[in-house]
Amino acid sequence: MRQFIVTGMSCAACQSKVEKFVSNVEGVTSVSVSLLTNSMGVEGTATDSDIISAVEKAGYGASIKGANAEKTQSAKASGTYAEEDLLKDRETPILKRRLLFSVIFLIVLMYITMGHNMLHLPLPSYFENNFVALAITQMLIAIIVMLINGKFFTSGFTSLMQLSPNMDTLVALGSSVSFAWSLYVVYKMCGMLANGIPYMELKNIYHDELYFESAAMIPALITIGKMLEAMSKGRTTNALKSLVKLAPKTAVLINNGVEKKVNVDEVKVGDMFIVRPGESIPVDGKIIDGESAVNESALTGESVPVDKKEGDMVSAATINQNGVLWCKATRVGKDTTLSQIINMVSEAAATKAPIARIADKVSGVFVPAVMGIALIVTIGWLIAGADVSEALARGISVLVISCPCALGLATPVAIMVGNGMGARRGILYKTSEALELTGKADICVMDKTGTITTGQPVVTDICPVEGMDKEALLSLAYAIEYKSEHPLAKAIVSHASEAGIELIEVDDFKALPGNGIEATIDGTVLLAGSLKFIGGRADIDAVYIDKADELSTEGKTPLLFASDRKLVGIIAVADTLREDSAEAISGLKAMGLKTVMLTGDNERTARAIASKADVDEVIAGVLPEGKADAIAKLKSKGKVIMVGDGINDAPALTSADIGIAIGAGTDVAIDSADIVLMNSNISDVVSAVDLSRATLKNIKENLFWAFFYNLICIPLAAGLFGLRLNPMIGAAAMSLSSFTVCMNALRLNLHGIKR
């Protein structure tokens, strides 16, 4: 997906208009515009210039995301500083300046209209009973305030002329109609004065029919709302900003033993760099020398440092805590784990959740509908016998109290906060759709090896025959399995090594067909393998056959060992449950999800593991290519989450409604998954579902308040409840609606995510 920055949007109607223009470009297959981040994601074969041209034809500005920022030295550093530059809040300072200058003149205007007229505060004697002069003074001040907030008028009337009215159109019309009517009244007063109309009639018209204060207050109050909206929108992107700020700025390279401090953008793949205690690791790399504990909480959310040694991988923005590390750069710039995470969170914000389509449909017709309602209200009151000023006041109130912004922000602000919360905990949603759908799942399917289990077999039982002790059996097993590459052999070798068993050299080592190996020690033939393999080459007492069956029933793999065609013992190896598997599965079931274990292992082993984990259903003996078929069958019963390692389970992850890659480590760019869990903890699946549900609930709350606000306020402004709503009050209400939606989204940060 290509990313663009769109400038000049003010509401959901603008967003809808940009999407409409770009979607009509030949070669564009999908387009999604975010009002929150002013970003646009486009897929298809259309050229960048054609896309930008379409946006400009719609009346807005566009540029390729990061194009301007990357011209700076800092932007080249890791591919993330461009993002930092784009996330910088430039809107709030501009709005603050506009508001400050507006307030200065509004104080003078309100002193005249309320302080002098209502509270009888003093004015220069020239203005005493000089109502025409007072009216002209109000007009001049209103013009100044309207010029200060001229962006509303240029944007609003431009959109109106393009037959695509937006929120600025409502503001511009409301303020302009107030001003135009008041200007008419000024001319009317001048005519009355010229014709010798009594003073009291001028006074009544001056007090009752002028709306210059509304003409000035409407754009000023909307500016307050836009400023509050911009500030709260800025807070919703704090999680992404904090990730961007983590990116290191410098690195210490080593070349022929000489250290040189450079900008991180100068580091290339293959360069050697050194990281001392307390320093951030500048790029992704492999440890060549040294040992240390590395704090990876910036990427995974886990506060416990991870011990690292020679051969281990390290990631940019993690903190070296104690030892000195010499590393070789493996991924730099936009390829680092941090940059991938930032890009993933950013792209997710640019995509659109399915629930947002409700607001999109309304936004496309909202502003024209409001303009029509305002016209009907004005005409209706005139027909009902109201004077022109009252009818106009009600029509203007309808214009300025309506808020399409709240509709446009209802979904993206919650999505951004939810994505940020997930990113801080190592849960990366690739799209807004993934964030929404995860909480709607009915079934959670999990791979066994590496997901429910650790994926690292360990020795569980050592059963020597009568006359042989455990240490002797383990020594024999260590000797024959040492040269084997089988994962089960590695478990025995590791166990013997940790037990301090001395390694005995064997001769004539060879792997044999039928799951077995053979070697000799001083001419004695040693055999190791399955019950079937050893049973065909050595004598086995029925007691040990039963023991092997018992171990298999428990989900363990029995390995039999023989010397000179006589059984010497059995060592059982098993892939053990993750520490958090049972608790996580219990949590999923408590949330109403059916749990299924999908594995290629045999039925007996699978059911033994499933019993320990308390999984609802087991589907065993399925090859990787058959897992997708199993998922397809389950989808007929409800929405399915598939949890796997992101490699062998790729077909199943793609087939499921939501694919979750667990144990991805630093390789976050897993195409087949919709969600990536950085921590390799299955408990994060529970967190992902819970966060999705909390975010979806927040979106529904936002949409409710956005619709409810307009549903109540528009009739109220129209006078259907018998109230006369001043246009200034309508503008104030509009200014707070978007702010309320944004603050409700920020409340999501208080949600305690289940684990």
Side-chain angles (χ1 to χ4, degrees), residues 38 87-100 223-235 241:
N38 292 320
L87 289 171
K88 185 178 180 181
D89 185 5
R90 294 182 178 84
E91 190 177 4
T92 300
I94 294 172
L95 291 170
K96 283 182 178 179
R97 285 195 298 272
R98 273 170 47 185
L99 183 61
L100 175 62
T223 297
I224 294 175
K226 296 297 287 182
M227 185 182 71
L228 292 173
E229 178 188 316
M231 293 170 66
S232 55
K233 280 164 63 177
R235 290 181 62 187
K241 290 176 184 174

Side-chain angles (χ1 to χ4, degrees), residues 118-132:
M118 298 174 62
L119 304 177
H120 307 293
L121 297 178
L123 278 176
S125 57
Y126 171 78
F127 290 105
E128 287 297 328
N129 298 325
N130 191 346
F131 298 112
V132 173

Side-chain angles (χ1 to χ4, degrees), residues 352-682:
K352 189 159 291 185
I355 196 171
R357 293 171 191 148
I358 300 171
D360 286 348
K361 290 178 181 178
V362 175
S363 299
V365 297
F366 183 86
V367 175
V370 168
M371 292 169 61
I373 292 170
L375 182 61
I376 292 170
V377 167
T378 303
I379 295 172
W381 278 100
L382 288 172
I383 293 172
D387 57 41
V388 176
S389 63
E390 182 179 354
L392 281 174
R394 293 190 184 276
I396 293 167
S397 295
V398 170
L399 285 175
V400 298
I401 205 169
S402 309
C403 188
C405 287
L407 288 171
L409 290 171
T411 299
V413 290
I415 290 290
M416 179 60 84
V417 173
N419 261 314
M421 291 177 69
R424 288 196 298 269
R425 290 163 175 79
I427 303 169
L428 306 178
Y429 300 90
K430 285 190 174 182
T431 63
S432 297
E433 184 176 13
L435 180 54
E436 178 184 334
L437 294 182
T438 302
K440 296 180 178 180
D442 305 295
I443 303 168
C444 183
V445 181
M446 292 160 281
D447 176 47
K448 181 182 79 68
T449 306
T451 302
I452 294 177
T453 65
T454 62
Q456 297 177 341
V458 296
V459 172
T460 58
D461 300 85
I462 301 176
C463 309
V465 297
E466 189 175 348
M468 167 85 66
D469 60 33
K470 290 185 177 181
E471 185 173 331
L473 174 58
L474 187 57
S475 176
L476 191 68
Y478 185 18
I480 194 172
E481 297 283 12
Y482 183 75
K483 294 183 179 180
S484 174
E485 295 296 324
H486 197 281
L488 299 183
K490 291 183 181 299
I492 293 176
V493 169
S494 177
H495 184 82
S497 178
E498 291 174 3
I501 302 296
E502 184 178 348
L503 177 63
I504 302 172
E505 288 290 333
V506 298
D507 300 315
D508 303 324
F509 175 87
K510 55 185 174 182
L512 301 175
N515 300 317
I517 53 179
E518 178 182 283
T520 61
I521 297 179
D522 297 331
T524 301
V525 177
L526 304 177
L527 296 171
S530 64
L531 175 61
K532 180 180 179 181
F533 174 78
I534 298 297
R537 290 167 174 78
D539 297 328
I540 305 176
D541 191 281
V543 173
Y544 297 106
I545 294 176
D546 292 341
K547 182 63 178 178
D549 287 339
E550 179 186 333
L551 292 169
S552 295
T553 303
E554 294 173 1
K556 303 170 184 177
T557 301
L559 298 175
L560 283 70
F561 296 88
S563 175
D564 277 341
R565 299 190 176 277
K566 292 182 180 179
L567 183 71
V568 294
I570 303 172
I571 296 180
V573 178
D575 187 4
T576 57
L577 279 179
R578 288 178 179 269
E579 291 182 2
D580 59 342
S581 289
E583 185 178 353
I585 290 168
S586 175
L588 289 169
K589 293 167 72 172
M591 296 170 77
L593 277 79
K594 179 181 179 180
T595 56
V596 179
M597 187 173 77
L598 184 62
T599 179
D601 275 356
N602 64 73
E603 186 83 15
R604 179 185 288 182
T605 301
R607 293 204 172 277
I609 294 294
S611 176
K612 294 177 183 178
D614 197 24
V615 175
D616 293 322
E617 183 180 342
V618 176
I619 302 175
V622 182
L623 296 175
E625 55 269 23
K627 289 185 177 181
D629 296 331
I631 293 293
K633 291 178 182 178
L634 289 170
K635 285 173 71 174
S636 64
K637 302 176 183 178
K639 292 192 179 299
V640 176
I641 293 173
M642 172 64 196
V643 187
D645 61 15
I647 301 171
N648 297 330
D649 300 308
L653 289 170
T654 304
S655 299
D657 294 294
I658 295 293
I660 300 181
I662 190 170
T666 57
D667 188 11
V668 299
I670 298 176
D671 293 333
S672 54
D674 300 295
I675 302 172
V676 178
L677 305 182
M678 294 291 293
N679 295 326
S680 303
N681 294 331
I682 193 172

Side-chain angles (χ1 to χ4, degrees), residues 65-95:
K65 191 170 186 179
N68 295 328
E70 286 178 354
K71 292 178 182 177
T72 65
Q73 182 70 14
S74 61
K76 298 174 185 176
S78 68
T80 59
Y81 301 109
E83 190 77 41
E84 181 177 20
D85 188 59
L86 293 167
L87 289 171
K88 185 178 180 181
D89 185 5
R90 294 182 178 84
E91 190 177 4
T92 300
I94 294 172
L95 291 170

Side-chain angles (χ1 to χ4, degrees), residues 186-201:
V186 170
Y187 279 109
K188 179 181 176 182
M189 291 172 67
C190 290
M192 293 171 67
L193 189 65
N195 293 322
I197 299 297
Y199 152 76
M200 284 307 297
E201 288 199 28

